Amino acid sequence: MNIYLKYIPYFTARKYLIFFWCFFVFGCDTKDTKNETSSFPDSEMDSLKIMNEIISNNPKDASILISRSRLLYHRNLFDAALKDVSNAIKLDSTHQKWYLLKSAIEMDYFRSMESINTLKLAVRKWPEDTNLRKKLSEAYLIVKQYDEAIDNTQELLQFNPQSSDAYTLLGIIAREQKDTIKAIDYFSEAVQLDADQLEAWVELANLQTGRNNKLATEYYQSALQIAPENQNLLHSYALFLQENNELQEAKNVYDQIIKTSPDYTNAYYNKGLILMDQDSFELAEKTFNTLIELNQENPKHFFYRGICHEMTGDFESALNDYTKTQSLNPQLPNIGNAIQSVRGKLGN
């Protein structure tokens, strides 16, 4: 195997690919956008103008305030969106979904404690609503308030002892606290209560990887029965196979991803690395050709294709790819050595 490959890992470690499966529903947008409307597409701008006119004529129409809030939130105009949803709730505090919208905006606006307080207020209004308690536990998890998340989830179980979502949440809390045994127990309880609990199956597969790969495989297969075309899940499973040296099976899964999502670049990337591992450099080169057509800005794509060229004796093309790599990322490990090596082979 060529020396340049030794120092580059597979793209996207599997443990980081495992969704944010069940609870990061609020997002973490980093934009702090002023209330400007110049970036609105024409259709949204027309809708906004209509809403503005209705609200101007009837400022106590809470439903239109909510519609405008959602539109502004969609455009990351958090301050204006928050003002609208807050005013709507003052006018009519009987809608759970409006509290959820307000909490989501606050979380994305980096007002996590206000988001939690909004959910706590909603829970006080509807104490037996398990969905609200689930959202509150998820919010506690986002800010890593694990004790509060546990207490709230236990209260959720008092109202609904058969809640697989609650056991999944408790499993995630245990996993975050590095209590693997307890996490496995909670996730196992979740799938016993609901065999379609996708998040719990994937978490079990992740936790069993390296501990009991046979079980991990079974858990992945259970998850895939529920979501056979989920690209993130398929990619995670392919990485699991790849890490366990089941390379043909991993390639098959990457081919499955490519068939349904021909622009899913990570599948080409890792398939190309497997082919290089198997010394199939000509096939790998074709894979990286397609990858570069999809994304010409990633230096590693050119770097790996350069290795393929070098290993098949096309030193001129290898030098071109290595030079392109260096122009995109001069700090990429080993790129200087690669250029020096191929120039030596060209007699330069």
Side-chain angles (χ1 to χ4, degrees), residues 171 174-175 179-190 203-204 207-208 211 219:
R175 184 207 65 201
D179 192 340
T180 301
I181 301 301
K182 186 179 288 186
I184 289 173
D185 287 343
Y186 281 133
F187 290 132
S188 298
E189 182 68 21
E203 292 285 359
L204 283 168
L207 289 171
Q208 291 292 357
R211 296 166 58 91
Y219 292 146

Side-chain angles (χ1 to χ4, degrees), residues 243-296:
E243 291 167 0
N244 287 281
N245 209 35
E246 298 182 43
L247 300 183
Q248 185 56 51
E249 291 83 353
K251 283 195 298 184
N252 291 341
V253 177
Y254 288 130
D255 285 337
Q256 183 180 347
I257 296 172
I258 290 167
K259 183 177 180 180
T260 57
S261 299
D263 59 347
Y264 195 95
T265 56
N266 296 351
Y268 294 99
Y269 187 100
N270 280 333
K271 180 184 176 183
L273 292 182
I274 292 175
L275 290 168
M276 295 174 76
D277 254 345
Q278 296 175 326
D279 293 337
S280 299
F281 292 102
E282 291 182 359
L283 290 175
E285 178 190 326
K286 293 178 181 178
T287 301
F288 285 110
N289 285 341
T290 304
L291 185 57
I292 288 170
E293 288 177 6
L294 293 170
N295 182 354
Q296 300 184 21

Side-chain angles (χ1 to χ4, degrees), residues 14 28 49 90 201 212 223-224 250 263 267 277 288 301 322 327:
R14 181 182 50 79
C28 296
K49 288 178 179 178
K90 288 178 183 177
W201 284 120
N212 187 330
L224 286 166
D263 59 347
D277 254 345
F288 285 110
H301 299 170
Y322 291 151
S327 70

Side-chain angles (χ1 to χ4, degrees), residues 182-249:
K182 186 179 288 186
I184 289 173
D185 287 343
Y186 281 133
F187 290 132
S188 298
E189 182 68 21
V191 297
Q192 287 178 22
L193 290 168
D194 179 7
D196 290 333
Q197 183 63 251
L198 177 63
E199 297 86 356
W201 284 120
V202 177
E203 292 285 359
L204 283 168
N206 192 38
L207 289 171
Q208 291 292 357
T209 297
R211 296 166 58 91
N212 187 330
N213 285 336
K214 182 179 179 181
L215 263 182
T217 300
E218 293 176 4
Y219 292 146
Y220 269 120
Q221 291 172 350
S222 294
L224 286 166
Q225 288 179 8
I226 302 168
E229 296 185 359
N230 186 297
Q231 302 306 304
N232 286 335
L233 175 57
L234 285 167
H235 189 193
S236 180
Y237 182 45
L239 284 172
F240 166 78
L241 294 169
Q242 196 167 350
E243 291 167 0
N244 287 281
N245 209 35
E246 298 182 43
L247 300 183
Q248 185 56 51
E249 291 83 353

Side-chain angles (χ1 to χ4, degrees), residues 86-340:
S86 298
N87 287 335
I89 290 173
K90 288 178 183 177
L91 293 167
D92 182 355
S93 62
T94 64
H95 298 271
Q96 293 181 20
K97 289 183 178 180
W98 296 4
Y99 286 87
L100 291 173
L101 174 62
K102 182 173 183 285
S103 175
I105 296 169
E106 288 166 336
M107 188 64 74
D108 276 358
Y109 202 21
F110 302 107
R111 299 182 178 183
S112 56
M113 295 314 300
E114 292 179 28
S115 175
I116 288 172
N117 287 335
T118 296
L119 289 171
K120 288 168 69 175
L121 177 60
V123 167
R124 285 197 294 271
K125 290 177 68 67
W126 296 280
E128 297 187 15
D129 189 280
T130 55
N131 182 58
L132 283 174
R133 288 191 177 275
K134 176 172 175 274
K135 298 298 185 185
L136 179 55
S137 290
E138 292 167 353
Y140 281 133
L141 276 167
I142 290 173
V143 297
K144 301 186 183 300
Q145 293 187 3
Y146 299 124
D147 290 342
E148 291 82 353
I150 292 170
D151 290 343
N152 183 70
T153 307
Q154 293 291 359
E155 290 181 17
L156 190 163
L157 282 171
Q158 291 178 17
F159 292 108
N160 183 3
Q162 303 299 308
S163 173
S164 62
D165 286 338
Y167 283 103
T168 298
L169 284 166
L170 290 171
I172 292 170
I173 296 167
R175 184 207 65 201
E176 289 286 301
Q177 295 181 316
K178 313 300 182 185
D179 192 340
T180 301
I181 301 301
K182 186 179 288 186
I184 289 173
D185 287 343
Y186 281 133
F187 290 132
S188 298
E189 182 68 21
V191 297
Q192 287 178 22
L193 290 168
D194 179 7
D196 290 333
Q197 183 63 251
L198 177 63
E199 297 86 356
W201 284 120
V202 177
E203 292 285 359
L204 283 168
N206 192 38
L207 289 171
Q208 291 292 357
T209 297
R211 296 166 58 91
N212 187 330
N213 285 336
K214 182 179 179 181
L215 263 182
T217 300
E218 293 176 4
Y219 292 146
Y220 269 120
Q221 291 172 350
S222 294
L224 286 166
Q225 288 179 8
I226 302 168
E229 296 185 359
N230 186 297
Q231 302 306 304
N232 286 335
L233 175 57
L234 285 167
H235 189 193
S236 180
Y237 182 45
L239 284 172
F240 166 78
L241 294 169
Q242 196 167 350
E243 291 167 0
N244 287 281
N245 209 35
E246 298 182 43
L247 300 183
Q248 185 56 51
E249 291 83 353
K251 283 195 298 184
N252 291 341
V253 177
Y254 288 130
D255 285 337
Q256 183 180 347
I257 296 172
I258 290 167
K259 183 177 180 180
T260 57
S261 299
D263 59 347
Y264 195 95
T265 56
N266 296 351
Y268 294 99
Y269 187 100
N270 280 333
K271 180 184 176 183
L273 292 182
I274 292 175
L275 290 168
M276 295 174 76
D277 254 345
Q278 296 175 326
D279 293 337
S280 299
F281 292 102
E282 291 182 359
L283 290 175
E285 178 190 326
K286 293 178 181 178
T287 301
F288 285 110
N289 285 341
T290 304
L291 185 57
I292 288 170
E293 288 177 6
L294 293 170
N295 182 354
Q296 300 184 21
E297 302 302 319
N298 191 318
K300 290 183 181 178
H301 299 170
F302 290 95
F303 181 58
Y304 286 129
R305 190 175 69 174
I307 293 173
C308 294
H309 286 312
E310 184 176 0
M311 296 301 289
T312 56
D314 187 355
F315 303 131
E316 191 69 44
S317 294
L319 181 59
N320 289 337
D321 275 346
Y322 291 151
T323 303
K324 177 67 173 179
T325 300
Q326 190 174 52
S327 70
L328 291 171
N329 182 5
Q331 281 75 47
L332 189 74
N334 299 303
I335 186 58
N337 292 337
I339 291 174
Q340 184 178 358

